[in-house]
Amino acid sequence: MKAAVVTGFGKPLEIQERPVPEPGPGQVLVRMETCGICHTDIHAARGDWPVRPRLPFVPGHEGIGPVTAVGFGVGAGLVGSRVAVPWLGSSCGSCRYCVTGRETLCESQVNTGYSVDGCYAEYTVADARAVVRVPDAVPSFEAAPLTCAGVTTYKAIKAAAVVPAERVAVFGAGGLGHLAVQYARLVGGFVSAVDIEPDKLGLAHQLGADQVVNSRTHDPVEEIGRAGGADVALVLATAPQAFEQAFRSLDRGGRLVVVALPGGDASMDLPIHKTVLGGISVIGSVVGTRQDLAEVFALHAAGRTRVIAEPRRLEQVDDAFDEVLGGRAEARLVLEF
Ligand code: ZN
Ligand code: ZN
């Protein structure tokens, strides 16, 4: 099978011919139909974060396709089912997080395309308990971006406990942002989308954003303030000023939801007085659970969300990374096999 392999941090990926992996006990073999390109894959391939993947490795955690074989202990009934292979490759199943529906916090978790080989390959093996079935009404091309960009922003909106008529400011309107705008709308929020790319802002507007702000030409804190201030600010962009502007755009009682992970071991400054006197909450939100992903698929199957993506071939993966880094991809790029 063909696989795109990271052999050195910051080096172009190598397209290699590899044997199709065998599913081990508790695993399934999935034949990839599509895999979305997430910014995390680029961070992984460049070794940007404090804990780096072990080389060589295959990135990708938005993989979709049918199960073609199962390992020992997995029911053969799963063969033929179309599944999503998400970032959470496996969790221990028995720690206090796992037993309370918070498996994304498990300290023994394994991450697809980071600590184990992922989905930039024609086949991958995955833990049978970690994959999520894709409803027939959701095409594989659309299921891919929902598997990380979708579930991550869906979870962030849930974590912020948005109620109708609250204002949600979305900082970063691309791959994640275009879905965040829709989830914020689904729960009745007014949406302010902030980005530096006019195309992404145009897309956010089409998808229902009530206000769009180009932060290259306008101060988002001022503009969002003019609209009444934000009750919730989601940070999906990695630029340091996005964190700072998101915080300052909040009204009293506001919730800052931090999703983006900049390179290095970044930190953010919080003004203590505004946080205390304004009753501000700061919430970290990482991907979403299997149940969250099932809900994301159910909403999409019911026609409540739209996925904006463009297809690419596995061989184009390096150019695709450049497109994402240069902000030229309108929303998500999806590898088709
Ligand atoms: Zn991701
Ligand atoms: Zn656990």
Side-chain angles (χ1 to χ4, degrees):
M1 67 166 191
K2 267 190 302 186
V5 184
V6 178
T7 57
F9 294 118
K11 282 177 46 182
L13 275 68
E14 260 179 43
I15 306 296
Q16 293 182 358
E17 193 60 40
R18 288 186 158 194
V20 174
E22 291 272 335
Q27 289 187 322
V28 292
L29 178 67
V30 183
R31 179 172 58 75
M32 285 299 136
E33 289 180 345
T34 58
C35 180
I37 293 178
C38 178
H39 213 124
T40 292
D41 303 334
I42 303 177
H43 287 302
R46 292 161 41 131
D48 281 343
W49 289 341
V51 179
R52 290 170 147 198
R54 203 151 40 90
L55 296 167
F57 72 99
V58 177
H61 56 270
E62 286 190 347
I64 308 292
V67 171
T68 55
V70 296
F72 179 77
V74 182
L78 212 51
V79 174
S81 300
R82 206 160 45 103
V83 297
V85 181
W87 170 249
L88 194 74
S90 71
S91 57
C92 80
S94 55
C95 71
R96 70 191 185 99
Y97 305 111
C98 284
V99 298
T100 51
R102 296 181 292 165
E103 69 264 24
T104 55
L105 303 181
C106 178
E107 295 194 67
S108 308
Q109 70 184 268
V110 166
N111 297 119
T112 308
Y114 207 91
S115 48
V116 292
D117 279 341
C119 310
Y120 287 9
E122 289 173 310
Y123 287 86
T124 195
V125 288
D127 188 317
R129 293 167 307 178
V131 300
V132 174
R133 282 185 197 242
V134 181
D136 291 343
V138 180
S140 295
F141 184 73
E142 294 174 16
L146 293 173
T147 299
C148 182
V151 76
T152 298
T153 50
Y154 177 71
K155 182 64 162 193
I157 292 293
K158 273 177 121 179
V162 179
V163 296
E166 283 194 314
R167 180 163 296 273
V168 179
V170 176
F171 284 76
L176 271 73
H178 90 281
L179 287 154
V181 165
Q182 299 177 70
Y183 295 125
R185 289 265 313 196
L186 270 176
V187 294
F190 294 114
V191 180
S192 300
V194 181
D195 207 289
I196 53 173
E197 302 289 342
D199 289 355
K200 293 182 181 176
L201 292 170
L203 177 63
H205 179 67
Q206 267 176 46
L207 294 169
D210 302 278
Q211 180 188 31
V212 296
V213 181
N214 187 328
S215 55
R216 211 185 316 249
T217 54
H218 291 77
D219 177 5
V221 178
E222 234 168 69
E223 296 298 320
I224 294 167
R226 237 193 286 282
D231 299 293
V232 169
L234 297 190
V235 190
L236 308 177
T238 54
Q241 67 267 29
F243 290 82
E244 186 250 330
Q245 289 169 340
F247 181 86
R248 287 199 294 123
S249 71
L250 287 172
D251 256 357
R252 288 195 158 196
R255 287 90 78 199
L256 179 72
V257 186
V258 181
V259 173
L261 284 174
D265 198 4
S267 57
M268 61 182 176
D269 278 337
L270 290 178
I272 296 170
H273 280 252
K274 176 169 173 172
T275 306
V276 174
L277 302 178
I280 303 290
S281 306
V282 178
I283 301 166
S285 185
V286 61
V287 292
T289 65
R290 294 161 287 184
Q291 177 60 28
D292 293 320
L293 183 53
E295 290 167 13
V296 160
F297 285 150
L299 287 168
H300 197 71
R304 304 291 178 89
T305 48
R306 276 176 61 200
V307 168
I308 308 298
E310 288 174 56
R312 294 290 182 271
R313 285 178 296 105
L314 189 65
E315 292 77 8
Q316 296 174 305
V317 65
D318 286 305
D319 292 338
F321 277 14
D322 288 341
E323 287 180 74
V324 173
L325 288 169
R328 298 194 300 280
E330 189 182 28
R332 216 51 160 178
L333 298 179
V334 173
L335 301 173
E336 282 188 319
F337 294 90

